[in-house]
Amino acid sequence: MSDTQNATVRARLDYLEEGSEISPQHGSMLRIYEVQQVLPLSVWPSPPPTGCLSWSAQLLGQMADNRILQCPHESDVIDVLKFPLACTGENFGVVHRFQPFINGALERARLHAVTRPSVAFSVWIYLLKGCQKNHCGIVHHVNQKRLFDSVLIQLTDTGDLIIQARMTTGEDEAFRAIVMLPLWKWIRLDCYILDSKVQLNAAWDNETRSFEYKFQNIIHYDDTDGHFVIGGGKYMSGISGYFGPFKYHRLGTKEIKNPLHPKSTLQELDRTHLECREMRAFTNAFLQVVSEDHQLSSNNKTVCTNDFPGLWAQFQDKDKTCAEAWNLETQLKYSVLFQFLLRKEDRIRTGHLGMNNLGGTLFHLAVSTLFQEHEAPMEMSATSLELLKASSCFGNHRASLLLAAIFLSGLGHPVDQEQGHVYSLIGAVGDDRFALMHAGYKHTHGADGFPQDLDMANCYYANIGGQCSIDSYRSHENKGSINALNGLGWYHGSVLKDHKKAVKYFEQAALNGSDDGMYNLGVYHLSGKHPNKPQRNESAAFELFLNASRLGHTAASVEVAGYLSTGSLEGVSQDVQRAVIMLTKVCEQNGHLGFTIREALQAYLQGSWQESLVKYVLAAETGLGLAQINAAHLCEELNLSYDCQRRYHSFSLLNSDPHPPTLLKMGDYYYSSSSSSTREDSLSLAEQAVSMYSRAALAGSPQGMFNLAVLVREGYVLPQSTLHLFNASRHDEPDSVMEKILGRCAQLEDENAVAPCSLALFGLQMGKALSSMTQNRAQLLLVGMSQSVPAVWSRRQTQSLLQRHCFSSLL
């Protein structure tokens, strides 16, 4: 027991009649628990010596004296990425800073290797597109001076790789590996750096291509100087595709072990993209023929017959004459899409339906037939599921996000977390705003099998934050500047190129509290174009951006988050958590979310509850609390699984200010679960119920206060933090605690509605009065009160009323 850190002491009180057995824990009259911290033996107060020490005490003392303090285990091998990362080919990636080793021996080895490096790392990539620019970032290192440092790996527009490093002489050297990386394959890149040598291995399809190059000078390598970026960053666009596992050996190794993980998920991602390519080729052939006004018939040698249901026998004869994209196997595989295209032949011929709007059309059709209403509980239509998959393949990534939600939540379909991850990644790589927020939200909280990783969350939120910044700029450009001073500043700076006058107007606007004025001044400092201070001043820019962000300026918030995520500015420590919180607030204010919420509400008011649920779910998956509450409500109304309700109620609790009805719902869930659980689990669940009701009470919910009073009556002792809300303490009698809680609750109740707290408080007070009079044998006074208040309820009746109200709120 010498290593025990804390202990929970629990006690309960119950009546025990002769011959009876101890009742279950949930039937106890009084329960109490207290968490006590156990102090280490070394800090226990020493009693004055009263004689010789016992043998056990001497042994413990000798063990303490001879104990060798050990540092925690520290490894030079780091799993930088443990979960797939979706990259859109833009300037957003995962930022990672490496700290010096705590272990002295490891840190000495690292410092020695700065000028004699021995480093190795391995990363998996999956390319959806070739590099659209001259170079696209895979991995790059930016030092504190904002310069590229060792090492830099880039993909070229021809599929080759460039590796650049900084030498100990201060010069940069690079070499090109002619490798022509393929698309739509998982590729493993291993890089070994030793002194002045670099070995690069590129492997796919069970074949490895090796390249070795020796620089003229020794490589300088200090991974604690600045930060590393996986994918795109502020100074470089990234690849378009996915990153798999990334393993880094800070002190080098002869052979890197970095298997593809999670293998089944990443293979399924590859298979889904393969099917999408087949589907697009299949559809493109159909559209091309129909747009040329060729009727589909058995005589057409380009495509197969359109008599899909009835002419099976003829297919075998015609299969050889069909185009590759239209063979029988493909038609059967994508039969739902094929039949849809056949029905829409006229719209395709007239140009009203093409590849550009096919995804949206399929999405709306799928949503309208999503659930089979005759089923109880409601189940997902198999046809709708196939239509959603097709919609996703044609670039509608709201369909990708909806598929992710369906598979992750069991929304009318069995839970399939692997498929949920696949479509989450597909939606994010498609640059969909909601899908990016969804991925960021999952990594922030570690939900649905996504590992909690703020660096990855920041990557996704930075992307959507950048889009929101552009939206904000366009909004100001429709509406004009928010005030005349900013308008004059913009005119002189952008049109007349008179930056001196522009800065003058922006400064006046900033002094008047304009967040736009502060932001514009920050841009001048950042670019070095400030006429009075022509040198680039990032510190001054950061202060202005920070002040503007506090006033809600979108672009300024994105800039501040960028500095916080990298910690690249002197005097500004890296704080990824703060960056994520700031970007989350920016993302939740984007107009696309508001538009979707409005559509969901309109659909609900019009009685289209299924459509309303879909739109609320799409918004709920981004982390928006209001949408989560409404999605949970519709899951209940539409008779979907209880897991669907609890999922979105649970998610809404992760927000900083969850709605009281949600807290009450989850409190009810924990309370009802406690009665059917084991003794230990029962107490834990009851404690969680107390926590939920306490949070609701703190938010001003009378129902939360009422439920707390009921728990006190049942024998639960509330935590001191909860009792403090009602000016109560654990030294108070239960009746006194109940009276204080109900008194606060009664003050908040609506006078025109049923007031259970007021009734319960009245009964409690009258019961106390009656009990006191009985104990004092004040019979005359008791008779007088009975005559003057004929409607007085007995204490037993009041408790019965209290219990009925409790159960009505808990069921």
Side-chain angles (χ1 to χ4, degrees), residues 443-505:
H443 280 300
T444 299
H445 300 287
D448 287 334
F450 290 74
Q452 188 173 28
D453 190 322
L454 292 180
D455 290 332
M456 295 185 75
N458 180 73
C459 170
Y460 292 121
Y461 278 131
N463 189 330
I464 183 63
Q467 296 186 47
C468 292
S469 180
I470 295 173
D471 292 343
S472 177
Y473 175 77
R474 289 173 178 170
S475 176
H476 283 307
E477 201 173 51
N478 293 340
K479 295 181 181 180
S481 184
I482 61 171
N483 55 51
L485 291 172
N486 275 310
L488 288 170
W490 174 85
Y491 178 74
H492 281 85
S494 301
V495 179
L496 301 180
K497 306 301 180 184
D498 187 344
H499 298 300
K500 188 170 184 178
K501 284 189 176 181
V503 167
K504 173 185 174 182
Y505 288 120

Side-chain angles (χ1 to χ4, degrees), residues 472 476 480-483 485-486 505-523 541 543-557 589:
S472 177
H476 283 307
S481 184
I482 61 171
N483 55 51
L485 291 172
N486 275 310
Y505 288 120
F506 287 143
E507 286 177 341
Q508 291 179 17
L511 288 173
N512 284 298
S514 168
D515 57 346
D516 269 343
M518 298 172 191
Y519 174 75
N520 291 330
L521 282 176
V523 171
E543 289 298 326
L544 287 162
F545 291 151
L546 184 62
N547 290 334
S549 70
R550 289 167 177 161
L551 297 175
H553 197 282
T554 301
S557 299
Q589 294 173 5

Side-chain angles (χ1 to χ4, degrees), residues 359-371:
T361 302
L362 290 167
F363 177 72
H364 292 298
L365 177 61
V367 170
S368 65
T369 59
L370 197 58
F371 298 110

Side-chain angles (χ1 to χ4, degrees), residues 305-342:
T305 177
N306 70 336
D307 190 6
F308 186 70
L311 299 177
W312 299 103
Q314 299 182 31
F315 272 130
Q316 295 181 355
D317 296 333
K318 295 182 175 59
D319 191 42
K320 295 180 181 179
T321 67
C322 293
E324 183 65 25
W326 277 90
N327 57 40
L328 175 60
E329 181 182 357
T330 308
Q331 293 183 29
L332 293 173
K333 186 175 183 180
Y334 305 116
S335 60
V336 172
L337 175 62
F338 185 32
Q339 293 179 47
F340 168 81
L341 294 173
L342 290 174

Side-chain angles (χ1 to χ4, degrees), residues 21 25 61 97 105 142 174 205 260 283 297 338 477 508 511 588 624 674 680 734 759 780 787 790:
E21 296 182 355
Q25 186 175 6
R97 289 182 71 97
V142 181
D205 289 342
L260 192 64
T283 305
S297 66
F338 185 32
E477 201 173 51
Q508 291 179 17
L511 288 173
E588 289 181 347
L624 191 66
S674 66
E680 291 298 318
L759 290 173
L780 292 176
Q787 292 174 348

Side-chain angles (χ1 to χ4, degrees), residues 681-752:
D681 291 341
S682 174
L683 188 55
S684 176
L685 289 168
E687 292 168 3
Q688 293 185 65
V690 169
S691 175
M692 294 295 105
Y693 293 146
S694 298
R695 292 173 67 183
L698 181 61
S701 167
Q703 182 70 63
M705 298 178 191
F706 183 89
N707 291 351
L708 286 174
V710 172
L711 291 176
V712 173
R713 184 189 64 81
E714 292 188 350
Y716 290 93
V717 177
L718 304 182
Q720 185 58 52
S721 58
T722 301
L723 292 171
H724 181 71
L725 299 176
F726 306 100
N727 294 323
S729 71
R730 287 185 173 176
H731 300 294
D732 294 338
E733 293 293 328
D735 281 357
S736 177
V737 174
M738 289 175 62
E739 188 171 4
K740 291 178 179 180
I741 295 174
L742 293 172
R744 178 75 60 82
C745 176
Q747 295 173 2
L748 300 174
E749 286 181 322
D750 188 348
E751 296 179 357
N752 299 319

